[in-house]
Amino acid sequence: MKLSSFYKESINKHPINPADLLILINKIFGLSKEEFWSHGTSKKISEEDIGKINEYIARLVENEPISYLTGEKEFYSEKFFVDRSVLIPRPETELLLEILLKESDRSSSILEIGPGSGIISILVAKINKAEVTAVEINRDALDIFKKNIQLHSVSNLITPLLADLFPPVKKKFDIIVSNPPYLSESAMKIIDTNVREHEPVTALLGGKKGYEIIERIITGSPVYFNYGGKLLIEIGYDQKDYVTNILKSNGFRDIIFYDDLSGIARVVKATR
Ligand SMILES: C[S@@+](CC[C@H](N)C(=O)[O-])C[C@H]1O[C@@H](n2cnc3c(N)ncnc32)[C@H](O)[C@@H]1O
């Protein structure tokens, strides 16, 4: 069978995004989109290849995100390995990263809580040469994080640890940064099925009300700060007021919120 006929047949038969099928074709045959459109009509594919693509198509039909099928995702123009143990990096997290990049330099010591694939720790280490300790609770996510640390050659700057929010040894940091799980139980019920059914619940659910982990980060962080240390957290669309109150009652000052492209307060910065 010719590749172009297989492509046409598949998009007519299955409720899948044609762009995702082109990504799979690229993964399996190494053909770029342009190469597919120019050579797809002459390229023959074997029964074995058809079987392989059909297995991936079945996963797409089950709403599995394409990044889990390819095992990678681009963030901030860099490639990162992902699998089902980590959240697929979201473009809105660039806001948190950009604030972190502005707030830090090579002399900064940074703690990241919940690195997942490691996008934040790795990019601040790579771009600003800052030293990062990163604490992840999910062992499988920590393995992916370590693979990405190798991929980006930053193992000299990053200490990945398996723990619950804070490092087991008391160390002080200039910046504590986190994109924590912040969805409530009710929000979990209405998010896209591909997210709810395929992305790790430990990366999404922040507790019954959604802000429980954020609250634990705010109340637990003061003993880990150097004087004047800064806390940077990505938050949910409806958490600004609650987060302001917990920050104030834990002695934080200079509380600033940064809006995302939809005008929603998405990141908070506060000084201790
Ligand atoms: C929303 S994801 C963010 C991942 C990544 N930093 C990013 O921005 O794409 C939250 C991460 O926090 C981790 N996590 C959840 N609870 C944690 C805890 N109590 N201690 C440490 N990490 C935790 C999750 O496993 C997940 O990797």
Side-chain angles (χ1 to χ4, degrees):
M1 188 180 208
K2 295 284 168 33
L3 184 55
S4 56
S5 316
F6 175 80
Y7 169 84
K8 277 186 212 131
E9 205 180 284
S10 301
I11 56 172
N12 286 332
K13 202 154 82 188
H14 305 288
I16 56 171
N17 180 347
D20 286 347
L21 186 53
L22 288 177
I23 293 172
L24 286 179
I25 287 173
N26 174 265
K27 179 182 162 69
I28 294 168
F29 302 105
L31 286 184
S32 68
K33 236 188 293 178
E34 295 71 26
E35 286 164 339
F36 168 76
W37 291 120
S38 53
H39 310 310
T41 44
S42 56
K43 179 154 180 67
K44 273 183 128 176
I45 53 170
S46 65
E47 283 301 313
E48 198 189 328
D49 287 334
I50 292 177
K52 204 150 101 188
I53 308 194
N54 277 338
E55 274 175 33
Y56 282 121
I57 289 177
R59 289 169 63 184
L60 283 180
V61 171
E62 289 298 314
N63 290 314
E64 188 166 340
I66 185 74
S67 299
Y68 288 154
L69 274 63
T70 59
E72 56 189 55
K73 175 74 184 171
E74 199 176 281
F75 179 81
Y76 219 64
S77 305
E78 299 267 11
K79 187 181 105 172
F80 290 88
F81 295 123
V82 293
D83 73 6
R84 285 182 239 191
S85 68
V86 298
L87 186 90
I88 298 169
R90 304 294 203 267
E92 53 267 33
T93 303
E94 286 193 6
L95 178 63
L96 178 65
L97 174 68
E98 280 178 353
I99 297 164
L100 175 65
L101 290 173
K102 279 202 198 100
E103 293 292 331
S104 62
D105 58 32
R106 61 188 314 140
S107 71
S108 310
S109 76
I110 299 172
L111 169 66
E112 185 186 9
I113 298 173
S117 60
I119 48 168
I120 296 169
S121 291
I122 290 169
L123 287 168
V124 73
K126 201 166 172 175
I127 298 169
N128 279 1
K129 310 279 177 263
E131 217 174 277
V132 187
T133 298
V135 175
E136 173 58 59
I137 201 166
N138 177 336
R139 189 179 294 276
D140 295 331
L142 196 73
D143 288 342
I144 289 288
F145 178 33
K146 288 179 181 167
K147 265 179 78 178
N148 281 319
I149 290 174
Q150 294 299 329
L151 176 72
H152 291 274
S153 311
V154 282
S155 49
N156 56 328
L157 289 169
I158 301 182
T159 307
L161 298 173
L162 186 68
D164 184 359
L165 296 188
F166 297 103
V169 283
K170 288 258 179 317
K171 199 181 156 203
K172 304 253 179 193
F173 301 92
D174 303 316
I175 299 175
I176 297 180
V177 63
S178 186
N179 172 16
Y182 52 70
L183 295 183
S184 63
E185 283 180 357
S186 52
M188 284 292 285
K189 292 187 185 133
I190 53 168
I191 52 172
D192 288 350
T193 30
N194 60 341
V195 177
R196 189 177 54 243
E197 289 176 4
H198 297 283
E199 298 203 57
V201 71
T202 39
L204 298 167
L205 182 65
K208 192 171 169 38
K209 302 238 165 76
Y211 47 68
E212 287 84 341
I213 292 186
I214 294 180
E215 184 160 5
R216 283 180 58 211
I217 293 174
I218 294 172
T219 54
S221 63
V223 292
Y224 292 91
F225 275 121
N226 286 323
Y227 180 75
K230 296 208 168 69
L231 182 61
L232 297 175
I233 310 182
E234 183 171 316
I235 62 168
Y237 74 96
D238 56 353
Q239 295 173 338
K240 181 177 176 179
D241 293 344
Y242 192 77
V243 166
T244 305
N245 289 338
I246 335 170
L247 284 167
K248 283 187 178 159
S249 56
N250 282 278
F252 284 88
R253 59 191 159 84
D254 302 333
I255 301 166
I256 299 171
F257 288 89
Y258 298 83
D259 290 355
D260 63 16
L261 295 174
S262 325
I264 293 166
R266 185 58 66 190
V267 173
V268 63
K269 178 176 87 176
T271 306
R272 190 65 174 60

